[in-house]
């Protein structure tokens, strides 16, 4: 799957805003980023899943792996886009989107 196709699937979900940042595309809902396409390299993505979704989805596809370290244990998942099927991409992005939708809103900055 191409980075553009992965980003298009994510951008097609309800209320998603996409933003280009330093050569990558961030996908967010209600101000919460749930996927970044083009990071850590151009042909990769990273998504934020719930730990149970991460455990289930990494069993389904070898294109997915937890990020090493503490962030990975909290659901941050690396995605090798070239090895990812469209069906799994849909499942991953929907799970990440749902997780972002159900998590608390980010703290607002006050001046």
């Amino acid at each position: 799957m191409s980075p553009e196709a992965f980003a298009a699937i994510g951008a097609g979900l309800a209320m998603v805003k996409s933003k280009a940042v330093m050569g990558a595309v961030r996908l967010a809902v209600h101000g919460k980023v749930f996927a970044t396409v083009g990071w850590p390299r151009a042909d990769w993505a990273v998504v934020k899943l719930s730990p149970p979704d991460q455990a289930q989805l990494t069993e389904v596809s070898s294109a997915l792996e937890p990020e090493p370290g503490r962030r990975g244990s909290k659901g941050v998942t690396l995605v090798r886009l070239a090895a990812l099927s469209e069906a799994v991409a849909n499942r991953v992005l929907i799970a990440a989107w749902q997780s972002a939708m159900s998590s608390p809103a980010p703290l607002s900055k006050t001046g």
Side-chain angles (χ1 to χ4, degrees):
M1 164 162 290
S2 72
E4 295 79 15
F6 189 79
I9 292 169
L13 298 170
M15 299 178 282
V16 170
K17 296 192 187 237
S18 63
K19 181 179 180 181
V21 178
M22 296 175 46
V25 176
R26 288 191 180 159
L27 302 172
V29 61
H30 296 305
K32 294 172 270 185
V33 175
F34 65 90
T36 302
V37 185
W39 191 91
R41 292 187 291 276
D43 55 344
W44 285 66
V46 63
V47 295
K48 175 66 170 89
L49 300 168
S50 69
D53 283 340
Q54 181 190 56
Q56 179 187 30
L57 290 165
T58 55
E59 290 293 318
V60 170
S61 176
S62 62
L64 307 171
E65 62 184 74
E67 184 177 86
R70 198 171 95 201
R71 286 177 20 112
S73 68
K74 293 182 178 188
V76 176
T77 306
L78 298 172
V79 183
R80 275 189 324 268
L81 296 173
L84 190 68
S85 71
E86 185 174 346
V88 174
N90 279 301
R91 287 178 64 185
V92 166
L93 285 164
I94 289 169
W97 177 85
Q98 288 174 328
S99 182
M101 288 288 287
S102 66
S103 66
L107 297 174
S108 62
K109 295 178 182 176
T110 58

